[in-house]
Amino acid sequence: MLIAVLSDIHSNLAALDAVLASIGPVDAIWLLGDIVGYGPEPERTVARLRAVGAIGVQGNHDDAVAGGESIELFNADGRTAAEWSRTRISDKTREYLAALPRVLVKETTAGAFTLVHGSPRDPIWEYVDSPYVASENLAAFGTGFCLVGHSHIPLAFRTRRAGGDSLRMRIVEPEGRMQLTDRRAILNPGSVGQPRDGNPDASFLLIDTDAAVASWHRVAYDIVATQAAMAAVGLPSDLIRRLARGR
Ligand code: ZN
């Protein structure tokens, strides 16, 4: 079974379509939240994901765009984009975003995975971006593996030995791989629609459950087209510029 794990798409339909074209047929698509927010195509991005049968969890931007209180904690640009997005989605999409679960557990032949946007103990807000935070979260999920988004950086945390609670962290390079073993791990696929690791290409993760391998991938997309779509609807200029820098 081949599973694509996508996170932080952020209404960037050009990036999502480039990823979907690059992965080809897969058995499942798992989403780690922030489908919307920041970008220019909230309605069509949700429609595309529903059409391909993707399942997943809610992020802080999904909650905010659906009308939730997360918006109170956003910075000015995030809030502007979320308020704009609220006016551009259908009732059906609003209900879909509001109803997304915050934690999902999926069983596979390679082991069980907990899916969250932020962290297992704080599913839409906490950033798992250090070995300390990752190890603090080991007790908050009951599966061997946890998939997180939110930081927009492709990351892998893994215990140094089976049963251990000391974790090693690595920022995963394009085409990086990890064998899924009896050592617990927290994996971040990076961001499809707004990468922040200095590489502007869309980032995603594939899980091959037969081989028990997770692999990270990058794909170029038409950044200028997304930037033009954002400018056309008056989204904040810093959000437009950062796509080209991958920051
Ligand atoms: Zn995000």
Side-chain angles (χ1 to χ4, degrees):
M1 186 173 177
L2 189 62
I3 302 159
V5 184
L6 313 183
S7 192
D8 298 277
I9 298 164
H10 283 297
S11 300
N12 189 339
L13 187 64
L16 173 62
D17 280 345
V19 168
L20 293 176
S22 135
I23 60 180
V26 289
D27 299 296
I29 298 176
W30 293 352
L31 306 171
L32 304 182
D34 282 7
I35 297 168
V36 296
Y38 296 141
E41 303 265 22
E43 180 71 18
R44 291 173 69 203
T45 299
V46 172
R48 180 79 87 252
L49 291 166
R50 298 185 74 175
V52 298
I55 57 154
V57 294
Q58 185 185 63
N60 50 322
H61 285 262
D62 304 319
D63 176 61
V65 171
E69 291 176 359
S70 293
I71 200 165
E72 305 300 334
L73 297 168
F74 281 9
N75 64 26
D77 283 351
R79 186 179 183 121
T80 299
E83 285 172 344
W84 174 83
S85 302
R86 284 177 172 181
T87 69
R88 297 299 176 109
I89 58 170
S90 62
D91 289 345
K92 195 176 72 175
T93 288
R94 185 175 304 107
E95 286 160 17
Y96 168 82
L97 293 170
L100 287 170
R102 291 192 171 178
V103 183
L104 206 53
V105 174
K106 302 295 289 180
E107 307 278 346
T108 78
T109 54
F113 293 80
T114 298
L115 283 63
V116 292
H117 178 63
S119 76
R121 68 178 177 185
D122 185 359
I124 70 168
W125 281 110
E126 187 175 41
Y127 291 92
V128 181
D129 54 4
S130 71
Y132 174 74
V133 174
S135 65
E136 288 269 291
N137 271 283
L138 280 179
F141 65 102
T143 55
F145 309 111
C146 182
L147 301 169
V148 304
H150 197 37
S151 70
H152 297 207
I153 295 177
L155 290 171
F157 300 89
R158 185 158 63 163
T159 60
R160 292 168 191 271
R161 57 180 177 79
D165 56 7
S166 155
L167 287 145
R168 198 188 303 269
M169 169 177 132
R170 102 177 135 113
I171 298 173
V172 187
E173 297 296 323
E175 308 311 313
R177 296 159 60 87
M178 176 185 275
Q179 194 76 38
L180 300 171
T181 67
D182 55 357
R183 291 158 63 187
R184 297 183 77 201
I186 301 177
L187 310 179
N188 188 322
S191 168
V192 170
Q194 195 202 77
R196 294 179 189 162
D197 61 340
N199 177 348
D201 293 345
S203 183
F204 61 98
L205 181 70
L206 292 177
I207 297 171
D208 179 338
T209 60
D210 298 330
V213 168
S215 58
W216 284 258
H217 305 272
R218 304 303 282 252
V219 61
Y221 72 96
D222 192 344
I223 293 173
V224 173
T226 294
Q227 291 177 314
M230 292 172 76
V233 297
L235 285 165
S237 55
D238 278 354
L239 295 180
I240 296 173
R241 279 197 295 269
R242 70 186 304 176
L243 293 180
R245 299 195 310 267
R247 292 284 181 198

